[in-house]
Amino acid sequence: MTLNDRALGAFALLLAALLAWQGWGLEAPFSYEPVGPRAFPLLLAGVIALCGLWLMVRGLDQAEPNPPGANVRIAWMVVLVAAYALIFASLGFIVSTALMTIFVGRLFGGRWRNCLLGGIGLGVGFYLLFDKVFDVILPTGILNVGG
C-alpha cells in the first residue's frame, strides 16, 4: 500500500464525514418526495466512506499507472460533470442525462450509435424509475410541452 493510497483514503473519509455532517441537516419544510433531501448526500457519504476505508486497509498490491490519455479523459469528465450541473435544470433530466451519457461514452471510445441508444435509454429509463418508482420530481426542461 502506498502513502498516496492512505492519504487519499483519509481524505475520502474526511470528505464523507463533511458530506454527512452537511447532509444531515437538510430538511424541506414540506416534501413531495418520500425520501427527502438528505437521503442522497448521506448515501453518497456512505459510498465515499467505504471507498476511503478500502483504500486505507487494502492489500499491498501496487496500482498500475494510468494508461496514456487517461488523465486527459479524467479532466474531460470533470468538465462534463460541471456542464451537466449547469444544463440540468434548463434542459431537464432526460435531455441532460442523455447528453452526458453520449459524451462520456464517446470519450471512452463508444460508437455513436451505441452511445446515442444508451444515452436515450438511460435518460428515459432513470427518469421513469425516479418519477414512477421513487416518486421523485425531476425537471422536465425543454420536454415540458404540456405545462
Side-chain angles (χ1 to χ4, degrees), residues 37-101:
R38 81 168 68 159
F40 182 74
L42 293 179
L43 179 65
L44 189 61
V47 171
I48 292 172
L50 287 175
C51 292
L53 284 172
W54 179 76
L55 280 171
M56 292 186 76
V57 299
R58 71 184 182 145
L60 298 175
D61 296 335
Q62 292 291 325
E64 296 179 20
N66 287 340
N71 292 339
V72 172
R73 286 193 303 271
I74 291 168
W76 272 109
M77 283 294 301
V78 171
V79 170
L80 287 171
V81 168
Y84 181 73
L86 291 173
I87 66 172
F88 184 78
S90 59
L91 294 183
F93 180 85
I94 294 173
V95 174
S96 58
T97 301
L99 288 173
M100 173 76 167
T101 305

